[in-house]
Amino acid sequence: MKSSVRKYLSGYLKIQIFGYSPERFLNLCSYQKINLWDLNVKGRTYEMKISVKDFRKLKPIIRKTKTKVKVVQRYGFPFFLQKYKTRHFLFAGLLMGILFLFFMSGFVWEIEIDGNIRCSDEEIRMFLKTMDISEGKRKKEISCDKIAEMMRENFDDVIWVSASVDGVELKIEVKENMDRIYEEEMEKSPPMDIVADKDGVVKSIITSKGKPMVKAGDEVKKGDILVSGTIEILNDAMEVTGYQYQVAEAEIYVQTEYVYEEEIEHTYETLEGTGKKKYQVWVENNDKIYFIGSVKNGYKYYKIYEQQKKITLGDIVPLPWKFGIKTVEECKKKTENYTEEEVRLKLSEKFHRFCQNLEKKGVQILKNDVKIYCGAERTSAKGILVLEEKTGETVAGERYKINENGKETY
């Protein structure tokens, strides 16, 4: 990056070398440490780039090798100045623009607040205004240390603040007391229980939060509580004195039975083209569509095909136009029959896809009792699958309060 900027500021040329001995020319340039880059060979002509400073050193090499040099293009700031040196107003405007940007960069034009949860952006901005800090404030008049100190003093939930000026932006990063926020939310929120979302027998249960209500081997029904988010608080006499509420977390697997059934009729209908077609050509430009022709028809059965393509210039430059052709073909219904082998194959493929989808969901097939039954008009695959799968959905539980008669829902 630095090298590219340096080349641009000092100026460089694209040149072509041809004549008696261009290879010797390149060797002498290398010997005299003249830097050449982007070297390309075009027949007996060599094209390359060279700095203006090194270009001035080429005369003796050109004379010695009897080659010819042609300047193809000029790059860099010196040539830019040379091109526009008579345009005084342009440079005056450029200079004024640079000075204006330099002046404006001495102010803060944006305030970014990050990390706050309880304290809203608007609250923090209003507080900053009491400190006379807002967009348009001079950077020199902003004390980041004072902002951090005052925010820690005035916001109880804030335990850490970082304020910094980056360019024209004042960045304020806040860290709040998450434990306190979580505790307050839990006090207001109901406990979250895990309930069964299907019937089955519990194979395993690993609880990380909450109180397990079932164990391995228990039979459960859909809706039964598997893990409770309500934890009883007991005194020394093992009496309930209160409740602690949390979001239950557990990994629970149950063994379930799934009745699989799929059938296919032996006959099916297809559409066969009659050869009659209608066409419509359309061109789209900037969300406007122009149509040529019509596909309106009185066909009872038909198929629609559409092809579209984006127009490009020479397969390189994309243009803002698209064109397409819509075709409507008249069809007639035709009745076909599956062979017994085709029906069995289709049912097997459907069952295989069904099993693959179960495996993707983490479901394990313990037993497969699915069989194919052939009838006169249809063939079906029926049977029972014994599965082991993850269960449990989180639902809101109940809160309790203690009275003289024991616990009471509220």
Side-chain angles (χ1 to χ4, degrees):
M1 180 66 182
K2 290 182 179 178
S3 175
S4 300
V5 172
R6 189 163 53 247
K7 287 175 183 176
Y8 179 81
L9 292 176
S10 59
Y12 61 97
L13 308 167
K14 181 192 281 188
I15 61 174
Q16 285 183 346
I17 305 298
F18 52 92
Y20 178 70
S21 182
E23 291 84 2
R24 190 180 174 208
F25 173 88
L26 296 174
N27 289 334
L28 287 173
C29 285
S30 176
Y31 178 75
Q32 296 192 16
K33 296 183 178 179
I34 294 175
N35 186 28
L36 304 173
W37 69 94
D38 288 352
L39 179 65
N40 292 306
V41 182
K42 298 181 179 178
R44 292 290 298 168
T45 302
Y46 290 79
E47 191 174 87
M48 66 207 72
K49 291 177 182 176
I50 185 172
S51 67
V52 174
K53 182 181 177 182
D54 285 341
F55 181 76
R56 296 192 180 102
K57 300 177 184 178
L58 293 182
K59 270 191 178 181
I61 298 176
I62 294 170
R63 196 181 304 114
K64 186 178 291 186
T65 59
K66 297 180 182 180
T67 52
K68 294 182 179 179
V69 178
K70 179 183 177 182
V71 177
V72 179
Q73 201 165 350
R74 297 170 174 83
Y75 304 91
F77 188 65
F79 301 109
F80 174 80
L81 288 178
Q82 187 177 9
K83 184 177 179 181
Y84 296 102
K85 64 182 179 180
T86 57
R87 303 188 180 183
H88 305 297
F89 287 107
L90 174 65
F91 285 101
L94 184 62
L95 179 61
M96 288 178 66
I98 293 171
L99 292 174
F100 178 74
L101 288 175
F102 180 76
F103 173 75
M104 297 297 283
S105 66
F107 296 83
V108 167
W109 296 109
E110 186 176 353
I111 299 176
E112 181 183 335
I113 303 168
D114 188 34
N116 53 313
I117 298 175
R118 286 181 62 101
C119 304
S120 65
D121 288 1
E122 191 59 33
E123 284 182 282
I124 295 175
R125 289 179 186 277
M126 291 297 293
F127 174 74
L128 291 175
K129 284 183 180 179
T130 63
M131 297 179 64
D132 194 26
I133 296 173
S134 59
E135 288 85 351
K137 184 75 172 178
R138 277 185 173 276
K139 291 182 186 178
K140 293 180 180 179
E141 299 175 5
I142 295 176
S143 171
C144 294
D145 292 338
K146 188 175 180 181
I147 292 173
E149 181 184 349
M150 295 298 291
M151 283 192 64
R152 285 194 298 268
E153 289 179 4
N154 288 271
F155 292 90
D156 294 335
D157 294 320
V158 173
I159 58 175
W160 178 84
V161 180
S162 171
S164 61
V165 176
D166 184 10
V168 295
E169 184 179 65
L170 172 62
K171 290 185 176 180
I172 297 177
E173 295 182 52
V174 177
K175 187 173 182 181
E176 298 177 342
N177 188 343
M178 297 304 297
D179 292 338
R180 178 176 172 181
I181 295 171
Y182 179 75
E183 287 170 4
E184 289 182 0
E185 288 180 351
M186 290 305 296
E187 286 177 4
K188 297 176 184 177
S189 304
M192 302 301 290
D193 301 334
I194 297 177
V195 300
D197 55 8
K198 54 181 68 70
D199 298 347
V201 177
V202 178
K203 295 288 287 183
S204 65
I205 175 169
I206 300 173
T207 306
S208 52
K209 277 187 181 180
K211 179 182 177 182
M213 307 299 289
V214 294
K215 62 182 183 301
D218 288 352
E219 187 175 341
V220 295
K221 299 291 184 182
K222 183 177 180 180
D224 288 352
I225 297 177
L226 305 178
V227 181
S228 173
T230 302
I231 308 297
E232 296 175 342
I233 301 173
L234 306 176
N235 59 16
D236 295 338
M238 302 303 291
E239 296 173 337
V240 178
T241 59
Y243 297 93
Q244 180 183 351
Y245 303 107
Q246 56 186 224
V247 178
E249 293 180 9
E251 195 168 274
I252 309 162
Y253 288 88
V254 294
Q255 180 178 308
T256 61
E257 289 187 353
Y258 181 85
V259 178
Y260 180 84
E261 186 172 354
E262 186 71 54
E263 66 177 21
I264 296 178
E265 292 188 356
H266 294 170
T267 60
Y268 64 97
E269 291 183 337
T270 60
L271 293 177
E272 184 179 50
T274 64
K276 291 183 180 180
K277 296 181 180 179
K278 282 183 169 289
Y279 302 93
Q280 183 182 62
V281 179
W282 57 266
V283 178
E284 182 179 348
N285 179 28
N286 295 329
D287 298 328
K288 292 183 179 179
I289 302 179
Y290 306 94
F291 296 97
I292 302 172
S294 173
V295 289
K296 289 184 178 179
N297 61 84
Y299 303 152
K300 187 175 181 181
Y301 306 108
Y302 56 87
K303 292 180 181 178
I304 299 177
Y305 309 95
E306 188 167 5
Q307 294 177 313
Q308 62 178 14
K309 186 177 180 182
K310 195 168 181 65
I311 302 174
T312 58
L313 188 61
D315 293 330
I316 298 174
V317 182
L319 298 177
W321 298 312
K322 285 195 299 187
F323 76 92
I325 300 174
K326 185 182 286 187
T327 306
V328 175
E329 181 182 13
E330 184 188 34
C331 298
K332 60 181 180 181
K333 280 192 174 182
K334 184 180 179 183
T335 303
E336 300 280 357
N337 291 297
Y338 290 121
T339 64
E340 184 179 337
E341 185 180 350
E342 286 176 332
V343 171
R344 286 179 174 274
L345 182 61
K346 283 183 174 294
L347 286 171
S348 297
E349 287 176 350
K350 285 188 175 183
F351 180 68
H352 182 64
R353 284 197 299 270
F354 176 79
C355 293
Q356 282 184 326
N357 290 332
L358 289 179
E359 289 174 0
K360 286 179 183 178
K361 296 174 183 177
V363 179
Q364 184 180 354
I365 300 173
L366 302 178
K367 186 178 178 182
N368 174 7
D369 191 27
V370 176
K371 296 177 182 178
I372 293 177
Y373 300 91
C374 295
E377 297 181 354
R378 59 180 58 85
T379 298
S380 61
K382 298 178 182 179
I384 295 175
L385 294 172
V386 179
L387 311 174
E388 183 178 322
E389 55 187 314
K390 196 172 184 179
T391 187
E393 60 181 351
T394 305
V395 299
E398 296 180 332
R399 295 177 67 91
Y400 302 96
K401 63 181 180 180
I402 303 297
N403 58 19
E404 294 177 357
N405 299 321
K407 71 179 180 181
E408 180 181 311
T409 304
Y410 72 99

